[in-house]
Amino acid sequence: MNFARISRNTTLTLMLTQAFGSFGAALTATVNTIVGAELSGSAWQAGLPGSFVQIGAAIAAVLIGATMDRWGRRLSLSAGMGIGVLGALIASISVMQGRFIFFLGGLMLVGFTRAAALMGRFVAAEVTVPEKRGRTISYVILGGTFGSVLGPFLADPSSRMAGSIGVEAFAGPYAAGALVFLLAGLVLFAFLRPEPRDVGRSIAAQFPESVAHGGPARPVLKILSTPTVVVAVTAMVMGQVVMVGLMGITSLHMFEHDHPIGAVSAVFSIHTLGMFAFSILTGQLLDRWGRGPVILSGAALMFVACALAPIWTDVAPLAVALFLLGLGWNFCYVGGSTLLSDVLTPEERAHTQAANDLTISLSTALASFASGVVFDFGGYAAAGIIGALASIIPFTVAGWWMTRRGLAEAIS
């Protein structure tokens, strides 16, 4: 079995999926808080749309994780994208009809696309030999650059197009998102071959020294309680929480300062450039420096971003702060994903990775909702302060883990 060729083909397929999925996600996220505030009639509910996307992603993580070993990776991920297409259409129709509850329900189904796209990073890792996993995961995340940078710029023309045919303007981004999610699902279904589940088992058998744990599969709770996994999950969860907590409310913050939707789109595009464009560098740093230093760097960048963002209301400084926020997220997210992939056996992957993404999605849903409440009562400055404090958590945990490992190696 030619593992190098299979890894390349699988990674390319998942990069394309990530590109389409992130395009649709960025396109809809650009207007989520604005639509949420308008349909609900209150700013404190502006974070609810993002929360429901994450709740859907949490549900999807469980369902996809439960079916990946039985159905295989290709069918499970493709089904997730298909459900998201339906959700985007429901959201679009709900905006036209002014139905907030149905809009939230549609966004919950859109969350399935997020779970399917993000779980692709673990699928790429399992078909790759151990010494190249960091770079492989970074390539899949890199696939999000195209979609995430260009997606927000489609929010304005798709809104104008919807308005030109006599329907509610903000229904346009969700209809366009449905088309993009459909393309992502078709790419997965057509090209994710051979089945990654089977390839991953073959790689684990050929490289048994790369599996940190020998013997039967451990219970998920036992795996999640090990120090290395605690660091990996904390980096991903807190990276996502800090990023969404500040980024999600930025569009409403700018809207209230009379910035046009085009300026909002520009800031979002620069933010997502930081999230994805430097993923190749992240992968190289992970395989060269190690997982811990990259996670520490990511947490520090997020702290700086959250401290800087509330200082200005002009577009350029906001864009710089949001770029640093995206880059910090990338370091934490890719670093944590790689670290988690390092310590799981083939039998432990699907359920543990699903539990990880479930935790991320639920935490992010809470952060998204809380961002609207914090913004309503304390403004953008309060959101920045809370994000800066939260970013200290992954920094502290990663530092503790690295010190603990260093002492253990010194003693041995």
Side-chain angles (χ1 to χ4, degrees):
M1 187 177 291
N2 189 334
F3 292 135
R5 179 180 58 81
I6 292 172
S7 178
R8 283 195 303 270
N9 293 343
T10 301
T11 301
L12 178 60
T13 297
L14 293 169
M15 283 180 68
L16 287 173
T17 302
Q18 187 72 252
F20 287 125
S22 61
F23 192 110
L27 167 62
T28 54
T30 302
V31 297
N32 271 346
T33 54
I34 298 172
V35 174
E38 288 192 353
L39 288 184
S40 67
S42 58
W44 74 267
Q45 296 186 70
L48 279 177
S51 293
F52 272 76
V53 172
Q54 296 300 330
I55 291 170
I59 296 170
V62 174
L63 295 178
I64 292 173
T67 60
M68 281 176 75
D69 283 336
R70 181 178 301 177
W71 293 0
R73 280 41 169 168
R74 182 174 70 95
L75 288 179
S76 294
L77 297 183
S78 300
M81 284 294 175
I83 291 172
V85 172
L86 176 62
L89 291 175
I90 291 173
S92 181
I93 295 170
S94 299
V95 172
M96 286 188 279
Q97 297 181 347
R99 296 176 179 268
F100 187 51
I101 297 300
F102 288 100
F103 172 68
L104 295 178
L107 290 186
M108 188 165 66
L109 297 182
V110 168
F112 277 66
T113 65
R114 179 171 183 80
L118 291 179
M119 290 188 79
R121 70 196 191 279
F122 293 127
V123 174
E126 72 177 330
V127 301
T128 304
V129 294
E131 65 270 16
K132 295 182 179 180
R133 280 179 185 153
R135 276 166 284 185
T136 297
I137 289 178
S138 71
Y139 292 149
V140 174
I141 301 297
L142 176 66
T145 304
F146 169 79
S148 294
V149 172
L150 295 183
F153 283 108
L154 191 60
D156 190 31
S158 61
S159 297
R160 292 177 184 273
M161 185 176 296
S164 69
I165 60 175
V167 301
E168 172 61 40
F170 284 133
Y174 299 99
L179 177 60
V180 177
F181 293 142
L182 176 61
L183 292 174
L186 293 175
V187 168
L188 276 171
F189 188 78
F191 299 111
L192 194 59
R193 304 168 187 269
E195 171 54 46
R197 172 196 58 196
D198 303 329
V199 177
R201 290 171 178 171
S202 298
I203 289 178
Q206 187 163 328
F207 298 92
E209 71 282 358
S210 68
V211 179
H213 165 74
R218 297 163 291 176
V220 171
L221 290 179
K222 183 175 181 180
I223 296 170
L224 293 176
S225 66
T226 60
T228 301
V229 175
V230 168
V231 176
V233 174
T234 300
M236 287 182 276
V237 168
M238 295 312 300
Q240 189 76 6
V241 164
V242 173
M243 188 268 291
V244 167
L246 189 66
M247 177 273 293
I249 208 66
T250 297
S251 59
L252 184 58
H253 168 66
M254 294 182 67
F255 203 65
E256 290 192 350
H257 282 84
D258 298 322
H259 291 294
I261 190 67
V264 176
S265 297
V267 170
F268 262 67
S269 291
I270 292 172
H271 166 67
T272 51
L273 186 71
M275 287 178 65
F276 299 110
F278 297 91
S279 291
I280 291 179
L281 172 63
T282 307
Q284 292 174 342
L285 293 177
L286 284 166
D287 291 336
R288 183 176 301 175
W289 290 359
R291 306 347 182 188
V294 174
I295 292 172
L296 280 174
S297 301
L301 285 170
M302 290 192 300
F303 179 90
V304 172
C306 291
L308 291 178
I311 296 176
W312 302 282
T313 58
D314 292 340
V315 172
L318 272 175
V320 171
L322 270 289
F323 172 83
L324 293 177
L325 182 68
L327 185 60
W329 171 87
N330 182 283
F331 280 12
C332 287
Y333 198 81
V334 179
S337 297
T338 306
L339 185 59
L340 183 62
S341 296
D342 289 340
V343 298
L344 300 178
T345 67
E347 293 75 22
E348 294 171 343
R349 285 172 183 156
H351 293 295
T352 305
Q353 290 161 354
N356 170 75
D357 281 10
L358 169 66
T359 305
I360 292 173
S361 296
L362 290 177
S363 301
T364 309
L366 179 60
S368 181
F369 172 72
S371 68
V373 177
V374 169
F375 180 79
D376 192 34
F377 288 97
Y380 198 59
I385 292 170
I386 292 174
L389 293 175
S391 65
I392 296 174
I393 297 173
F395 188 92
T396 303
V397 172
W400 162 79
W401 176 70
M402 292 173 64
T403 303
R404 185 175 181 272
R405 288 186 69 197
L407 289 174
E409 290 173 359
I411 293 173
S412 62

